[in-house]
Amino acid sequence: VQLVESGGGSVQAGGSLRLSCTVSGYTSSPYCMGWFRQGPKKEREAVAVIASIGDTIYADSVKGRFFISKDNAMNTLYLQMNSLKPEDTGMYYCAAKVCSALPARFHMDSMDYRYWGQGTQVTVSS
């Protein structure tokens, strides 16, 4: 499985960006997918996850501002980011794993994800 992110960039606070993650090499197994980020001097954290059963979950810090979605026909995962804040700055990674039919809240641990993209940088200036 190969993941390739795009859509990062520099934006002023309050602006929006949409990240995309193109996926190839899928098997027929059910997959969970998520967006993770790592800010300066911070550990990698889950931003948003979409489970194989379709439900989603967000980090508290991005609820109401970020939205994860998946286009199965295009094999693409998206992250719409609105009302961006300087603390959203970081490298954003797309990740995937074969997963059970549990809700998204069980799939927030980055250590459980096997497949990762190379990351795309998001910089938000005040």
Side-chain angles (χ1 to χ4, degrees), residues 35-108:
W35 289 98
F36 296 80
R37 69 185 179 190
Q38 187 163 13
K41 301 180 181 179
K42 295 181 180 179
E43 293 188 357
R44 189 172 297 188
E45 63 175 349
V47 175
V49 167
I50 184 164
S52 61
I53 58 176
D55 73 317
T56 58
I57 190 169
Y58 299 88
D60 289 342
S61 59
V62 307
K63 281 181 183 176
R65 300 188 298 122
F66 289 14
F67 301 94
I68 188 172
S69 61
K70 187 170 59 171
D71 184 332
N72 290 326
M74 298 295 291
N75 289 334
T76 303
L77 181 74
Y78 299 101
L79 183 69
Q80 178 66 42
M81 305 186 295
N82 302 322
S83 301
L84 282 160
K85 303 176 180 180
E87 51 263 44
D88 294 319
T89 293
M91 186 69 78
Y92 283 69
Y93 299 90
C94 170
K97 64 168 185 172
V98 176
C99 67
S100 60
L102 290 174
R105 68 181 185 274
F106 292 95
H107 304 296
M108 296 285 280

Side-chain angles (χ1 to χ4, degrees), residues 24-38:
S24 61
Y26 260 143
T27 69
S28 60
S29 301
Y31 275 86
C32 290
M33 297 196 69
W35 289 98
F36 296 80
R37 69 185 179 190
Q38 187 163 13

